[in-house]
Amino acid sequence: MKRIHNIFISSLLLMAACGCAHRQTSSADFAALLLEGRQALDEQRYEAAMEKAMAAMELARKDSDNKERAEALVLTARVDMASMRDQMAWENACRAEAIAKEQNLDSLLATALIIKGKLCSYAELSPEFNRNDEALTYLDEALSIAADKGYSAVESESCLTIAEVYVNKNRWNDVLDEDLYAKAGEYLSRAKANSDGKRFMACAMRYYQQGGKYSETVDLCTSILENCAPDDYLTQSYMHDHLSYALNRLGKMDESLAEHQLFASTVQKYIHHKADRELQEMETKYESAAKQLEIERKSRYILAMLLFSIVLALLIMLLIYINRNVHARNIELALKDKKKEQIIATLLRMSR
């Protein structure tokens, strides 16, 4: 009885260990999918980014993990927003917001609110829509959560998006509203420390150009180009384009023309680089699919051999069993024959 109890306990411990190992592997796979999806989104490879987001969503569903589900929804909403599927982005952001509120996931709640704020700002097609004011309600809440909880990256993103909203508010004014412009500059400064470089750059460009600060635009573009990765042709093209515009506004026509030519050549490099990346992804997918097919083929072969071995072992056991029975029967018959002979011999002696 004690032995059975020990076996039962050992089985439970083994099952728990297997479950923990599976969970750790699943979490690692989910984190890898999120990272790959964000990288693809940064590189504007939206189809690849959505594939990773959907795979992460499916993994979160299998794990029944609400935090992972909210994270996957946030990534999906960001990809939808970048792909101009605003309605789908809004729905996914609202779903992420609901889960985050229910599960007290403050960082994800703030992130979902930022996405809603961005979508409202993007929808500001005319001053009558008043979506920028709606955006500020979400963004102020996100900033309050991030500042209170110490989420520096989320706080910077909130400040940067608020700065973008104030820049948007000024675009409808014939004369620059200095109060709105000052607020944009205030939030832009707060966002600078922990902000994503590309997004900060995009907002800062609009801010400087809106205020006629073309010298500051040139300085910022030059600084970014000096620190830009050699193969980051997308950022380089943005910088050369902005430099061309700013230098033109400063009256430096020859330098502006040179930057425009650099912009055109860098765009071509970006197109070729992007095509090479997509081709490499296709080759990787093909190799992965081929390896998966080979693994499945080997698995089927191993399974067939295992089944064959089991059947063979059963047949051998059956033959051994039959052989033992026949042997035992032969011994039994031999004993009976010996007894018969003894009885006959005894009767013969008695008859004499």
Side-chain angles (χ1 to χ4, degrees):
M1 186 69 182
K2 185 176 180 180
R3 184 181 178 186
I4 295 174
H5 177 266
N6 290 337
I7 293 172
F8 177 72
I9 295 297
S10 299
S11 300
L12 289 178
L13 291 173
L14 182 61
M15 291 172 64
C18 291
C20 290
H22 170 74
R23 177 64 186 143
Q24 289 174 354
T25 303
S26 182
S27 297
D29 291 342
F30 180 83
L33 285 169
L34 278 189
L35 179 60
E36 292 170 4
R38 289 165 183 159
Q39 289 174 343
L41 178 58
D42 288 341
E43 296 167 1
Q44 297 187 350
R45 295 182 293 115
Y46 301 135
E47 184 177 349
M50 184 57 77
E51 286 180 5
K52 301 299 181 183
M54 290 293 98
M57 183 76 75
E58 179 62 19
L59 201 57
R61 185 191 64 79
K62 289 180 179 178
D63 292 342
S64 300
D65 190 313
N66 285 321
K67 183 176 183 297
E68 289 184 353
R69 186 162 167 255
E71 288 177 328
L73 282 168
V74 164
L75 177 58
T76 304
R78 287 190 186 279
V79 178
D80 283 331
M81 183 168 56
S83 306
M84 292 185 289
R85 296 189 291 266
D86 290 354
Q87 184 58 40
M88 295 178 67
W90 180 270
E91 291 173 1
N92 285 322
C94 288
R95 290 166 63 194
E97 178 189 11
I99 295 172
K101 283 182 177 178
E102 182 181 346
Q103 302 294 322
N104 296 318
L105 304 171
D106 294 324
S107 177
L108 289 171
L109 173 59
T111 303
L113 289 168
I114 290 171
I115 293 173
K116 291 177 68 175
K118 288 179 182 179
L119 288 168
C120 287
S121 179
Y122 296 161
E124 183 77 356
L125 301 178
S126 74
E128 290 78 21
F129 282 14
N130 203 31
R131 298 301 299 276
N132 279 326
D133 289 336
E134 182 185 349
L136 287 174
T137 62
Y138 301 128
L139 295 169
D140 286 339
E141 184 181 353
L143 179 57
S144 176
I145 294 170
D148 182 55
K149 300 295 183 179
Y151 303 137
S152 57
V154 180
E155 182 178 356
S156 289
E157 188 177 8
S158 301
C159 290
L160 189 59
T161 310
I162 291 172
E164 290 175 343
V165 170
Y166 281 116
V167 170
N168 283 348
K169 276 177 165 288
N170 241 331
R171 67 177 173 169
W172 306 117
N173 298 321
D174 295 330
V175 179
L176 191 70
D177 187 320
E178 295 296 341
D179 290 337
L180 293 177
Y181 195 72
K183 287 182 179 179
E186 174 191 342
Y187 282 104
L188 191 61
S189 297
R190 287 183 62 183
K192 187 174 183 179
N194 297 294
S195 180
D196 172 78
K198 292 181 181 179
R199 285 207 58 232
F200 177 82
M201 169 269 296
C203 183
M205 292 301 173
R206 292 185 62 207
Y207 171 75
Y208 287 144
Q209 291 177 15
Q210 192 176 65
K213 299 180 178 181
Y214 300 114
S215 295
E216 287 85 344
T217 302
V218 171
D219 291 341
L220 179 60
C221 289
T222 303
S223 174
I224 291 172
L225 280 172
E226 288 174 352
N227 296 288
C228 189
D231 61 346
D232 189 357
Y233 301 117
L234 183 61
T235 302
Q236 291 175 30
S237 65
Y238 284 152
M239 293 305 98
H240 289 306
D241 188 33
H242 284 294
L243 273 171
S244 177
Y245 176 78
L247 290 167
N248 181 279
R249 299 293 291 183
L250 290 169
K252 300 179 180 181
M253 306 306 295
D254 291 339
E255 294 179 41
S256 174
L257 180 60
E259 289 297 332
H260 181 71
Q261 291 173 344
L262 285 171
F263 163 71
S265 64
T266 309
V267 167
Q268 289 298 318
K269 290 179 181 178
Y270 169 70
I271 292 171
H272 291 308
H273 182 68
K274 186 177 180 182
D276 290 341
R277 287 290 301 272
E278 290 175 350
L279 179 61
Q280 186 177 3
E281 283 186 358
M282 290 174 64
E283 290 176 349
T284 303
K285 285 182 180 179
Y286 174 79
E287 290 174 0
S288 177
K291 286 180 180 177
Q292 185 63 32
L293 287 173
E294 181 64 17
I295 290 171
E296 291 177 358
R297 187 188 67 79
K298 288 182 178 179
S299 297
R300 287 194 295 268
Y301 175 77
I302 291 170
L303 180 60
M305 292 301 296
L306 181 61
L307 289 173
F308 175 77
S309 299
I310 292 172
V311 172
L312 183 61
L314 289 173
L315 287 173
I316 291 172
M317 291 174 64
L318 180 61
L319 289 172
I320 291 171
Y321 175 77
I322 293 172
N323 185 57
R324 285 180 177 177
N325 284 344
V326 170
H327 183 66
R329 182 64 178 168
N330 289 337
I331 292 173
E332 183 182 350
L333 290 173
L335 289 172
K336 287 181 178 180
D337 289 341
K338 189 174 181 180
K339 287 180 180 180
K340 287 180 181 178
E341 290 175 359
Q342 290 176 350
I343 292 171
I344 292 170
T346 302
L347 289 174
L348 287 173
R349 284 197 300 269
M350 290 176 64
S351 64
R352 289 176 186 172

